[in-house]
Amino acid sequence: MILYYSPGACSLADHIALEESGMKFTLAKVDLKTHKLEDGRSFYDINPKGYVPAIQFDDGQILTENIAILSFIADNYPALMAPGQNGRYRQLEKLSFISGEIHKAFAPLFKPGSTESEKAAAADKIRKRLSEIAAQVKGPYLFGEHATVADFYLFVTLLWAVKNGIDLPQPLKTLSEHVRARPTVDVALKQEGLA
Ligand SMILES: N[C@@H](CCC(=O)N[C@@H](CS)C(=O)NCC(=O)O)C(=O)O
């Protein structure tokens, strides 16, 4: 399997989850400015949507979208799945919130040319969404004692928040410290040139 990633992008969540799962994979770095791979190929030929993450199975099939890829990993390595009878759906609920409400809210902070007031409004929205998810943390991870793929996705958005000067509510600081302390996270960050 190949994971197409860009350093520190949302694909870091999938990278951490794959490291945790013990599944065999290799990394292919994508330059998100040129949409090219390191060997010069166009990333659009792999994912016509042009964004990471994407994984390529050994039979050549491509799977895109964080929610789908993280769910695929958790299905294959259930230790990363939320517990309980409705765990899979609770996890999808969190992944959808992280993707649609938190991740997407960062767009004005990443987009060149956003005005200061657009950036301030985005930061306010992010603070609101983070306080909503912070209120649901069972501790230290989202679902309690065990990390799930949703924690890794949230962790990446928390790195972005801190980088953009957004203070984290205490439950998210604790969650972030716990995720960061996992050996697989160190491996993934080092492989992406971030630690
Ligand atoms: N809907 C996608 C969005 C992925 C996404 O926003 N990827 C960003 C990095 S965090 C990206 O590759 N942006 C570059 C581009 O869109 O060209 C998902 O959830 O996987």
Side-chain angles (χ1 to χ4, degrees):
M1 193 189 313
I2 302 170
L3 172 67
Y4 294 90
Y5 81 103
S6 178
C10 51
S11 46
L12 175 58
D14 310 85
H15 187 177
I16 295 168
L18 281 172
E19 286 292 339
E20 292 267 345
S21 76
M23 279 187 244
K24 280 210 172 101
F25 70 101
T26 56
L27 291 165
K29 188 165 157 184
V30 182
D31 181 331
L32 291 179
K33 289 202 182 92
T34 60
H35 295 94
K36 284 197 187 303
L37 301 170
E38 286 183 302
D39 62 11
R41 278 180 299 152
S42 169
F43 182 54
Y44 287 113
D45 291 339
I46 290 146
N47 178 11
K49 293 179 281 195
Y51 51 67
V52 292
I55 56 173
Q56 186 160 26
F57 297 108
D58 293 345
D59 67 0
Q61 280 192 59
I62 301 284
L63 182 67
T64 62
E65 303 297 328
N66 268 302
I67 297 176
I69 296 171
L70 291 169
S71 298
F72 162 77
I73 297 167
D75 280 344
N76 279 276
Y77 187 67
L80 294 179
M81 177 74 79
Q85 194 192 1
N86 287 321
R88 192 163 195 279
Y89 306 106
R90 290 291 171 207
Q91 183 162 287
L92 283 170
E93 184 180 36
K94 289 285 189 291
L95 288 173
S96 302
F97 185 80
I98 296 164
S99 172
E101 305 299 333
I102 301 178
H103 177 168
K104 282 296 147 196
F106 279 88
L109 299 179
F110 294 149
K111 202 172 77 186
S114 295
T115 64
E116 286 310 310
S117 79
E118 285 167 340
K119 286 184 191 169
D124 283 348
K125 184 75 170 281
I126 292 163
R127 275 187 206 96
K128 180 176 183 305
R129 294 310 189 203
L130 292 183
S131 71
E132 287 162 354
I133 202 160
Q136 297 167 8
V137 173
K138 298 209 169 103
Y141 297 107
L142 279 168
F143 293 100
E145 287 301 314
H146 299 287
T148 67
V149 290
D151 290 288
F152 304 144
Y153 195 2
L154 180 57
F155 170 71
V156 174
T157 67
L158 298 179
L159 293 179
W160 300 342
V162 170
K163 208 170 170 187
N164 282 280
I166 297 169
D167 276 342
L168 304 184
Q170 188 55 51
L172 299 185
K173 275 189 196 158
T174 305
L175 183 148
S176 190
E177 284 161 11
H178 275 75
V179 174
R180 181 62 186 85
R182 298 175 79 87
T184 53
V185 175
D186 214 46
V187 170
L189 288 172
K190 282 192 173 126
Q191 286 176 341
E192 298 201 5
L194 302 170

